[in-house]
Amino acid sequence: NMADSEEYMQLTRHVIEAGEDPDVKVIIMKGAGDHFSSGADTTLIINDDKLKPGEAERPRSQGFRTVELRNSAYGRRAFNQTPHNSPKVTICQVHGYCYGGHFQIASGCDFIVASEDAMFTHPGYRYIGPMGEDMVLMILKIGLTKTKEIMFTGRGLNAQEALECGLVNKVVPREKLEEETEKLADLVCRQAAESLYIGKQNFNTALAIMGKQAMASAGLAAHVWGHMMRSEPDEFNLVRAGREGGTKAALRANKERWKDSSLAKGKPK
C-alpha cells in the first residue's frame, strides 16, 4: 500500500475540499488492503535525490529541492501539513503498517484509532536519521525521551506502546476498528460545527505558539541536507546505494545492516 507523488497530491486535494465543505465536520483517513500504508515508494525517494541527467559531476540544487519539498510535502498546503492544519477534525483509522509519510500524516491528526496489529515508524529514521519537520509535534505528543528513542534507533512502536505513550487514542481488535472509529466520529459530529471550527483553530494556534510550524519549516531544509549528507564507506546511505545498485539493492543493503540488531525480530524491517 505504497503511495507515489500523485497519490499524495490527491490526498491533499481531498482534505482541502473537505475542509472547505460546510457539510463536513470530520475527516476520516483509512487505508485499503492489509495495511494503512507503508509510506512513499522508495524508488521515488531515490530518484528525486539523484543527480540530474547530464549533470553527473553536479549534485541537485539544495535550494530547488527545498522549494520542491515545500510545495509537495512539508509546506502548509502540502500533503504532510494539510491534514495537520485542516479546519476540520481529523481521525486516522490505522491497521497494520503505518509507515513513512503516512506515519507523519497520522501523527498530525486529531485522533488515531488503531487495530491491535498496528505498527508505527518512519523508515527515514534509519535511512537519514532524526527528521526535524515533525520533531516538535512528536515531542508534544509522546515526549522528548520517546521521540529520541524512535528517531535515533529507528525502533517502531506497536499499537499498545503507541497507546501508552500517547500517540494513539484507542486500540481495538481489527474487526472492530471501523465501528469504533465511526463511534468516535459520531461523538464529534454531535458538537456544533462552529464550536469545532473555533476549537480547531485554537488548537492549531497553540501548537504554532509552541513551535510546531516553525520546526516544520526549519526541518524542511534539514530534510534536504539529510538526503545530501556525507557517509563513510561502511555506513548505509539510501540515495548512494540506490544510485549505484537500484532500489532493491539499496533495500537489501539496509536490511543486511540491521539483521543482527536487537530490533531484527518482531520489529519493522
Side-chain angles (χ1 to χ4, degrees):
N1 209 8
M2 295 183 296
D4 59 25
S5 299
E6 176 52 38
E7 288 166 333
Y8 277 126
M9 293 304 99
Q10 187 178 35
L11 171 63
T12 302
R13 290 192 295 269
H14 287 323
V15 173
I16 291 174
E17 289 170 4
E20 295 172 348
D21 188 337
D23 294 326
V24 173
K25 289 184 176 181
V26 175
I27 300 171
I28 298 176
M29 300 184 193
K30 55 186 178 181
D34 293 333
H35 303 280
F36 176 66
S37 180
S38 59
D41 186 341
T42 308
T43 300
L44 297 177
I45 297 172
I46 292 172
N47 288 339
D48 282 345
D49 284 305
K50 279 184 178 178
L51 305 181
K52 287 185 177 180
E55 295 187 353
E57 303 304 321
R58 298 177 61 197
R60 292 194 68 186
S61 162
Q62 294 186 38
F64 176 82
R65 282 293 285 144
T66 300
V67 172
E68 185 178 57
L69 281 172
R70 183 193 66 198
N71 292 338
S72 65
Y74 300 117
R76 289 186 64 85
R77 300 279 282 187
F79 84 80
N80 176 277
Q81 293 294 307
T82 297
H84 295 200
N85 298 313
S86 174
K88 305 300 173 69
V89 175
T90 52
I91 302 175
C92 207
Q93 176 182 309
V94 175
H95 66 288
Y97 294 165
C98 180
Y99 283 12
H102 283 73
F103 170 62
Q104 292 178 304
I105 290 171
S107 66
C109 286
D110 299 307
F111 299 96
I112 300 177
V113 182
S115 62
E116 294 170 333
D117 64 345
M119 199 74 185
F120 300 86
T121 191
H122 198 308
Y125 300 154
R126 296 189 186 183
Y127 297 156
I128 62 173
M131 300 169 70
E133 55 269 21
D134 299 310
M135 197 170 279
V136 167
L137 175 64
M138 294 303 296
I139 291 170
L140 291 171
K141 286 184 77 79
I142 68 175
L144 177 62
T145 301
K146 186 60 70 174
T147 299
K148 285 186 175 182
E149 179 185 344
I150 66 173
M151 287 193 178
F152 278 127
T153 69
R155 189 179 81 81
L157 299 174
N158 62 38
Q160 189 59 39
E161 290 174 314
L163 178 66
E164 291 171 358
C165 71
L167 179 65
V168 309
N169 298 86
K170 193 170 189 179
V171 175
V172 300
R174 183 181 280 215
E175 63 270 18
K176 294 283 188 179
L177 181 58
E178 187 150 2
E179 176 186 342
E180 294 297 325
T181 303
E182 293 290 345
K183 285 181 181 179
L184 177 58
D186 176 69
L187 289 175
V188 175
C189 287
R190 290 173 186 270
Q191 299 276 31
E194 193 74 2
S195 73
L196 295 175
Y197 298 150
I198 295 171
K200 186 64 184 285
Q201 291 311 302
N202 283 338
F203 275 115
N204 285 347
T205 300
L207 288 169
I209 291 171
M210 289 185 279
K212 171 186 172 293
Q213 195 57 46
M215 192 65 223
S217 298
L220 167 59
H223 185 102
V224 175
W225 298 339
H227 278 242
M228 297 178 176
M229 67 183 178
R230 189 188 75 175
S231 57
E232 300 303 326
D234 63 338
E235 295 175 337
F236 177 76
N237 182 300
L238 176 71
V239 177
R240 182 185 66 193
R243 184 186 301 136
E244 294 174 352
T247 302
K248 290 183 178 180
L251 294 177
R252 282 196 301 269
N254 181 56
K255 186 175 181 179
E256 181 71 16
R257 184 171 183 82
W258 289 87
K259 71 176 184 179
D260 296 327
S261 76
S262 61
L263 306 182
K265 295 183 179 180
K267 299 298 181 182
K269 302 295 189 292

